[in-house]
Amino acid sequence: TDAAHREPPKTRNEIEREAPTTVPVIESDEAIAKIGRVASVVGSTVVIQTFPATTNDDADPLDEDSVLCLSDRRGLGVIEEVFGPVSAPLYSTRLPSKEQCADAPDVRVGDDAFVVLGRSRKIPTKGLYRKGYDASGKDDEEVEDDGDFSDDEAEAEAKRANKPPGKKRSASARGKKAPPPPPSPMGGGGMFGMRGLPRPPPPPPPPSMAMGQMGIHQGQPMMMVPVSVDARGQPVF
């Protein structure tokens, strides 16, 4: 917990362990073995730092639900969490309150911690020493298939197998280009005469304008003179 969280973080499907209300009773004929010392006591939580393993028999850490006690056989509780390095893991357990259990011991930092051998189990570590990584899936749960491959070819083959099938095109369809769009009836500029429809011819001038361009004005007398053209195209009067 911290200033922003009143409860420790947990995943969506995490099963919360109920707080203990009693401490285990250790009989005088039960074998116990020293495993470490109390490293911290915060509220009802006790953390035990184990000694580094010296033999192969001590190499495997204790698993959850193993029973712990003090040197005078007063029960501490069961291991609720295992964390830290494999060679010297840490164990956490919780004590009931004095109101719940009058036999709950007063634990101090530095006290020796023991395990009840007949009520303990170990975590096999033989398969842990291999190449890998710590991956988390949805809702911070364990990944069922992390897709770890030994070489690039196997990874590429797995990606091809998992790729969803797509619509296949024939070779002729892949090489054929799409036809260009038809030209606009209004041309490139969208107006008559600009790379589009041909410009219509201008209308002929009115007779009065044509006669004015020839120097003849309305109201003047006119005389019709027959005109012929010679071989060179010149008029002959």
Side-chain angles (χ1 to χ4, degrees):
T1 61
D2 53 29
H5 304 84
R6 295 183 178 179
E7 298 181 356
K10 59 182 179 179
T11 62
R12 182 186 298 273
N13 301 318
E14 181 177 350
I15 300 176
E16 186 175 358
R17 185 188 291 262
E18 295 182 359
T21 56
T22 60
V23 292
V25 178
I26 313 302
E27 301 295 339
S28 59
D29 58 345
E30 290 187 280
I32 61 175
K34 184 188 293 188
I35 58 172
R37 292 188 176 92
V38 175
S40 68
V41 179
V42 180
S44 62
T45 302
V46 179
V47 177
I48 298 169
Q49 174 66 69
T50 61
F51 301 129
T54 56
T55 63
N56 292 334
D57 295 337
D58 299 333
D60 294 339
L62 296 172
D63 201 354
E64 296 178 357
D65 295 328
S66 298
V67 178
L68 305 178
C69 65
L70 297 175
S71 59
D72 56 2
R73 294 181 176 269
R74 288 180 299 165
L76 277 176
V78 298
I79 296 176
E80 295 187 357
E81 186 176 1
V82 181
F83 58 99
V86 177
S87 59
L90 293 94
Y91 307 134
S92 69
T93 185
R94 286 184 296 174
L95 294 171
S97 62
K98 289 290 186 179
E99 291 77 11
Q100 294 174 321
C101 179
D103 295 332
D106 295 325
V107 183
R108 296 182 178 86
V109 174
D111 288 347
D112 292 334
F114 293 75
V115 61
V116 181
L117 297 179
R119 288 188 273 176
S120 65
R121 58 183 183 177
K122 293 189 175 184
I123 303 174
T125 59
K126 184 177 180 180
L128 297 179
Y129 297 98
R130 64 183 181 88
K131 181 180 178 182
Y133 58 92
D134 186 11
S136 298
K138 184 179 179 182
D139 297 327
D140 201 26
E141 302 291 347
E142 294 293 334
V143 180
E144 296 180 359
D145 183 9
D146 57 3
D148 190 13
F149 299 94
S150 59
D151 57 84
D152 296 338
E153 294 182 0
E155 183 176 1
E157 182 64 27
K159 288 182 178 180
R160 285 193 295 268
N162 296 329
K163 185 177 181 181
K167 186 177 180 182
K168 296 183 178 180
R169 297 187 302 170
S170 61
S172 58
R174 290 195 299 268
K176 187 177 180 181
K177 296 182 179 180
S184 173
M186 298 299 293
M191 298 179 63
F192 287 101
M194 298 179 65
R195 300 193 309 276
L197 299 179
R199 186 186 300 274
S208 59
M209 183 178 297
M211 295 175 63
Q213 294 175 353
M214 298 173 59
I216 302 175
H217 304 281
Q218 283 186 333
Q220 292 183 351
M222 295 184 294
M223 181 178 65
M224 302 299 296
V225 178
V227 180
S228 58
V229 182
D230 59 10
R232 294 179 299 177
Q234 300 294 329
V236 178
F237 297 98

